[in-house]
Amino acid sequence: MSRLVPATQMLKKALEGKYAIAQFNINNLEWTKAILTECQALNAAVILGVSEGAGKYMCGFNTVAAMVENMMETLNITVPVALHLDHGSYEGCLKCIEAGFSSIMFDGSHLPIDENIEKTKELVKLAHEKGLSIEAEVGAIGGEEDGVVGMGECADPEECRKIAELGVDFLAAGIGNIHGVYPENWPGLSFETLAKVKEQIGDLPLVLHGGTGIPADQIKKAISLGVSKINVNTECQLAFAKATREYIEAGKDKEGKGFDPRKLLKPGTDAIMETVKEKAEVFGFTGSAAK
Ligand code: 13P
């Protein structure tokens, strides 16, 4: 029996309770352990996001699913955990359904809307037959992800309605958000678009990608307008890199057994746990496992 759950329930509760669940992307064993451990300590439900590139890096989706399942058992993780494909291709979605993921995202935002609708419809059926939740995307999220650069669009609310009607469990709509670090001249989230999308999709939870670096007041406003899932990746990467660099620059890798990977990677792992704690504060997901 899988320990993983689809993300549907946790997001419904988040929408009702006016907070957001975090999707933290995982890139290796240390990140996964740090995020699971901290979310357990916070009694918080969590979504572990895996991009196709990260999946490849971690030796495939089967390896990732087995790692997360076994880690949950060993660490005695009892909070709800969804293992979710991030920005999946059609083929990637099929692979993750087979591998035992509990949630998938089909990103057809770059396709003509009719093709996005067609493929999303097929995947909704397949995912639901196997008990997985499914996210779709309208309006490409800008910035860079796995080498693909988008321009940060605002979704067409009418198209959002069409995709929502296909039975997806949550929807990512571009509202001027971008992946990675926001440029100095970023105009901020388009709350006008968000409100119009919300009008069209009713009670469907909305997803905000590019959670790194969005000021807390904008995050809170987005949550108040129906955002229930916020994705964070770059912020963990930056925190991990900074802590590791400081450790090495201080020469600690040369002291005693400081070069032992278990010691070398610890500051970075601790920094990820801190990031999870900070996000819990802003998104309001502490204690969400009990809700
Ligand atoms: P950031 O890398 O900007 O945090 O965005 C993560 C994301 O949206 C993953 O889908």
Side-chain angles (χ1 to χ4, degrees), residues 99-289:
F101 276 46
S102 61
S103 191
I104 50 171
M105 172 189 189
F106 172 58
D107 182 354
S109 62
H110 53 288
L111 300 171
I113 185 68
D114 289 340
E115 198 177 339
N116 191 359
I117 288 176
E118 209 42 54
K119 293 223 160 75
T120 303
K121 201 160 144 188
E122 261 181 62
L123 288 166
V124 166
K125 186 166 177 286
L126 288 174
H128 287 172
E129 272 169 9
K130 298 251 183 180
L132 284 81
S133 49
I134 175 165
E135 171 180 347
E137 178 172 325
V138 180
I141 316 291
E144 190 196 320
E145 184 137 84
D146 277 351
V148 181
V149 182
M151 288 310 287
E153 296 170 8
C154 278
D156 175 345
E158 189 61 25
E159 292 186 358
C160 290
R161 186 183 53 76
K162 287 186 185 160
I163 296 279
E165 281 172 359
L166 303 175
V168 298
D169 300 291
F170 31 103
L171 182 74
I175 53 166
N177 42 326
I178 51 179
H179 292 122
V181 178
Y182 284 86
E184 297 258 317
N185 59 353
W186 178 57
L189 296 175
S190 168
F191 294 110
E192 200 191 334
T193 307
L194 180 52
K196 283 189 190 148
V197 169
K198 178 72 186 155
E199 243 173 60
Q200 294 297 322
I201 63 158
D203 279 344
L204 193 66
L206 275 164
V207 182
L208 184 62
H209 282 247
T212 294
I214 300 177
D217 58 333
Q218 292 193 41
I219 291 275
K220 288 184 177 161
K221 189 161 177 193
I223 293 173
S224 77
L225 290 168
V227 165
S228 315
K229 170 179 181 276
I230 304 175
N231 295 1
V232 178
N233 182 26
T234 304
E235 202 159 329
C236 290
Q237 294 187 344
L238 292 170
F240 186 85
K242 180 170 180 280
T244 309
R245 196 182 320 113
E246 281 169 5
Y247 181 85
I248 292 172
E249 278 171 6
K252 298 212 172 125
D253 57 320
K254 298 193 186 82
E255 292 166 14
K257 276 184 151 256
F259 50 80
D260 179 335
R262 285 169 290 185
K263 291 217 162 63
L264 187 58
L265 298 180
K266 187 162 186 313
T269 309
D270 289 347
I272 289 177
M273 291 171 84
E274 270 312 303
T275 306
V276 171
K277 229 185 274 177
E278 283 165 29
K279 296 297 135 194
E281 189 87 358
V282 181
F283 300 0
F285 60 72
T286 305
S288 52

Side-chain angles (χ1 to χ4, degrees), residues 5-23:
V5 297
T8 321
Q9 272 310 102
M10 58 175 93
L11 294 183
K12 251 188 206 160
K13 288 182 190 168
L15 184 65
E16 280 161 22
K18 293 229 178 282
Y19 58 91
I21 294 290
Q23 171 187 311

